[in-house]
Amino acid sequence: MKKEKLYGILFYIFTAEGIGALSALIAGNFSDFFLKYEKPPLLPPQWLFPVVWTVLFALMGYSAYLISRADEPKDVKKNALTVYWLQLGVFNFLWSILFFRFELLWVGFADIVLLLISVCAMTVMFFRIKAQAGWLNVPYVIWVAFASYLNLATALIN
């Protein structure tokens, strides 16, 4: 593998992981949150969340790298990557902070709905450019949909 390719892959993966880690760091202690609030049905064990998010950030970072190197016009790739950075750097970054740190359950729900919409739009755009990049984000779509349910259920029961 050429160094340039490896550096590109690492840039996208580490950037995604870094944004996720920074958000989690700012959001604070997740376990204290569920000591205060009723837990929604189907809530997975706490250890699962960082594992899933780490894998999802790596997959989405790699998929963005694939888009950046695809044989498509620059404006097509730019539009798809703009949605990628929007969902990751704004909606995904803010959700944990709004929901866990500030305990704004309904504001968090509004944010995660915007996240889900942007992730779905990004995934469709990625599919149109490179199917492999789209498929890499299907688990992310499913997880964000599930997280949306958890956010809504937590807000409703509390």
Side-chain angles (χ1 to χ4, degrees):
M1 181 181 299
K2 290 183 179 180
K3 279 186 182 181
E4 181 182 302
K5 181 178 179 182
L6 178 61
Y7 291 153
I9 293 168
L10 292 176
F11 167 78
Y12 278 98
I13 291 174
F14 286 154
T15 302
E17 296 287 356
I19 290 170
L22 181 59
S23 176
L25 182 67
I26 295 170
N29 189 340
F30 297 84
S31 54
D32 287 350
F33 178 87
F34 284 110
L35 294 175
K36 288 182 181 179
Y37 292 98
E38 295 250 354
K39 295 176 186 161
L42 306 177
L43 181 70
Q46 290 180 351
W47 63 264
L48 185 63
F49 289 92
V51 172
V52 169
W53 279 114
T54 300
V55 171
L56 292 176
F57 284 127
L59 291 173
M60 99 174 71
Y62 183 64
S63 73
Y65 167 78
L66 293 174
I67 295 302
S68 75
R69 298 292 181 240
D71 293 330
E72 290 290 325
K74 281 188 179 183
D75 62 325
V76 172
K77 295 189 300 188
K78 181 182 177 188
N79 290 340
L81 290 172
T82 297
V83 175
Y84 167 79
W85 290 113
L86 176 69
Q87 66 80 25
L88 175 62
V90 177
F91 301 127
N92 190 308
F93 177 79
L94 287 176
W95 182 79
S96 295
I97 298 166
L98 294 169
F99 189 77
F100 290 109
R101 175 135 187 130
F102 296 114
E103 300 177 10
L104 298 169
L105 305 183
W106 289 104
V107 175
F109 181 66
D111 179 80
I112 204 166
V113 167
L114 294 172
L115 174 60
L116 183 58
I117 291 166
S118 62
V119 169
C120 288
M122 176 198 75
T123 302
V124 168
M125 294 170 89
F126 279 23
F127 263 114
R128 290 179 180 158
I129 296 168
K130 188 167 183 77
Q132 180 186 12
W135 282 114
L136 287 169
N137 284 288
V138 170
Y140 184 35
V141 171
I142 294 166
W143 185 256
V144 172
F146 180 63
S148 298
Y149 151 75
L150 291 174
N151 186 147
L152 178 61
T154 301
L156 287 171
I157 63 176
N158 289 285

